[in-house]
Amino acid sequence: MLKLDHLVINTHFDIDAAHVQFEQLGFTLTPRGYHTLGSINHAVVFGGHYLELIGLPADGKTIREEIVSSPLGADGLVFRIDDPESTFTGLRAAGFDATPPQTFSRPVPPLGDARFTTVRLAPGQLPGGRVYFCQHLTPELVFRDEWQSHANGTYALERLHLIGASADTYSRLGALAPGFELVFWNREGFDSQFGPLAEHVVERAARYAAITIRTPQWREIGERAAAAGLPAQTEQDRTLVALPRFDTLLEFIR
């Protein structure tokens, strides 16, 4: 079964602003990471998976084409693997165009280098965003206890909401492990589900649009968002927060 490793929000050259907004919402973020591929990141770590804010240095001196050419906002869906070669072979056998395993790293001072091996689906294989598979060679440098305690009480990523993609298309990858799900909408259904805040998600072809996160403090998230100047709406059983600068909605539930 497919186990979630992480979701990705692409900030392009604006990762400083993303870092500030997520801290204002009460998340603990890892120190800035510098990938050997050229990208930079922060992670919001939960038990066994995480949300990654990825971007590029604002001075434009380092360009990772995959990041620049991908849309702003939620655009990455990453599954955990243990055997990259087997994953690559299996994807090719299933008719997918996948890249061979690639290993890269980022320093985690003073502990060492966090190392990863990934297998990626070539662009356009599945509608909506980038899909890839990640083996953690040094999980102890990512899933550290001090990064899993968040002031806003969040403890898990629950759902990724897609617009304009079909469940049948994604089912070719295999079944998802319990605890995380993909939710598929047409634009009309998404707008109805998320109400006025849906206007902060740009209309375009198939896309990743919203992320559902679990926390017992879901009501208080609205107050944090208001203090940060972010559009928010607290309802009977959830709080919605829009990130207009990053073309993404966050849904907080118990």
Side-chain angles (χ1 to χ4, degrees), residues 117-198:
T117 299
T118 58
V119 176
R120 303 171 186 272
L121 295 187
Q125 294 295 290
L126 289 173
R130 297 180 296 137
V131 177
Y132 55 104
F133 303 81
C134 180
Q135 178 191 31
H136 286 264
L137 302 175
T138 53
E140 70 279 5
L141 299 185
V142 176
F143 299 99
R144 299 187 62 79
D145 290 343
E146 63 264 35
W147 296 332
Q148 296 185 44
S149 178
H150 304 282
N152 59 17
T154 53
Y155 63 90
L157 302 176
E158 179 76 10
R159 304 180 189 109
L160 174 64
H161 299 263
L162 300 83
I163 301 174
S166 72
D168 288 344
T169 302
Y170 274 77
S171 68
R172 294 175 55 207
L173 291 172
L176 298 182
F180 175 76
E181 62 180 327
L182 302 177
V183 184
F184 299 89
W185 303 96
N186 59 27
R187 184 71 207 200
E188 181 180 4
F190 181 84
D191 290 351
S192 176
Q193 175 68 14
F194 291 97
L197 292 192

Side-chain angles (χ1 to χ4, degrees), residues 93-114:
F96 288 106
D97 181 5
T99 62
Q102 177 186 39
T103 298
F104 63 99
S105 65
R106 60 174 172 83
V108 184
L111 303 172
D113 289 346

Side-chain angles (χ1 to χ4, degrees), residues 24-112:
Q24 289 173 324
L25 289 174
F27 292 102
T28 297
L29 286 86
T30 61
R32 181 155 301 176
Y34 296 84
H35 295 132
T36 52
L37 298 176
S39 47
I40 56 180
N41 82 336
H42 293 280
V44 177
V45 183
F46 304 110
H49 63 273
Y50 58 99
L51 176 63
E52 180 182 28
L53 308 179
I54 200 164
L56 293 164
D59 60 16
K61 292 180 179 179
T62 302
I63 298 295
R64 180 178 167 189
E65 183 58 35
E66 178 190 2
I67 303 302
V68 174
S69 61
S70 296
L72 187 72
D75 91 312
L77 170 61
V78 188
F79 297 109
R80 179 80 58 87
I81 57 172
D82 297 317
D83 187 341
E85 288 291 347
S86 177
T87 298
F88 173 66
T89 302
L91 288 170
R92 295 295 293 267
F96 288 106
D97 181 5
T99 62
Q102 177 186 39
T103 298
F104 63 99
S105 65
R106 60 174 172 83
V108 184
L111 303 172

